[in-house]
Amino acid sequence: MGMPPCDLCYLQRWPHMVAIAAGLAALASFAWPRLALVLVLTAITALLVTSAIGVFHVGVEYHWWQGPQACSGNVPRGLSPEQLKKYLFGAKMVRCDETAWALWGISMAGWNAILSAALAFVLASGVARWVRWRT
C-alpha cells in the first residue's frame, strides 16, 4: 500500500512471530498440558512486549520522547559538507516519528498496542479459567 515500515515497525513484528509460533506449538501440544501452558504464557508475554513497543512507538510519533536515532533523529550539528553529504545519503527515508496511517486518530502503532494488549488479556483470561477448572 505504499507505506514502507520504519525500524520500530519491524521491531514490533518480532514478538508477533514469537506469539504465533508459541500459539501454534501450544495447539499442537495439548496432549501435554504443562507444555501447552508454558507456550501460551510465552505467547501472552510476546503480545505484551509488542504492545509495549507499540506504546513506545506512539510516544515517538507524538513527540512525547525521542525515538531511535536511526529513524527519528535530527541531523547532527557541526558536520563538514562532506560529512553532511555522507550522513544524508546514508540516512533512512522512513521515519519513526511520523504517522504513516491512522484510523480514528490512532496510528498503526497505536492499534498494535491496543489489539495486542487486548489479545493478551483474552488469552490470559482463558488460561486463568482453564487453570481454575483443572484445580
Side-chain angles (χ1 to χ4, degrees):
M1 296 184 61
M3 294 182 291
C6 69
D7 287 352
L8 285 176
C9 295
Y10 280 122
L11 185 60
Q12 290 173 72
R13 293 177 183 184
W14 289 104
H16 281 290
M17 290 182 229
V18 170
I20 290 168
L24 291 174
L27 284 173
S29 65
F30 251 74
W32 302 281
R34 288 185 185 195
L35 176 61
L37 178 62
V38 168
L39 291 167
V40 170
L41 293 175
T42 301
I44 292 169
T45 302
L47 287 168
L48 292 173
V49 167
T50 194
S51 181
I53 296 169
V55 169
F56 176 75
H57 193 175
V58 167
V60 171
E61 289 175 338
Y62 285 102
H63 304 285
W64 295 337
W65 46 73
Q66 184 70 32
Q69 180 70 25
C71 65
S72 63
N74 297 321
V75 177
R77 296 175 188 232
L79 297 176
S80 70
E82 202 54 45
Q83 291 171 321
L84 179 61
K85 181 179 172 185
K86 186 176 182 180
Y87 178 83
L88 291 175
F89 282 116
K92 295 187 180 208
M93 300 306 290
V94 182
R95 296 185 54 93
C96 297
D97 59 354
E98 295 175 358
T99 302
W101 177 88
L103 177 66
W104 301 315
I106 301 172
S107 69
M108 286 186 281
W111 282 113
N112 177 54
I114 292 166
L115 296 174
S116 295
L119 183 55
F121 177 77
V122 168
L123 285 174
S125 297
V127 167
R129 275 195 311 265
W130 181 78
V131 168
R132 278 194 305 267
W133 175 75
R134 291 199 35 105
T135 57

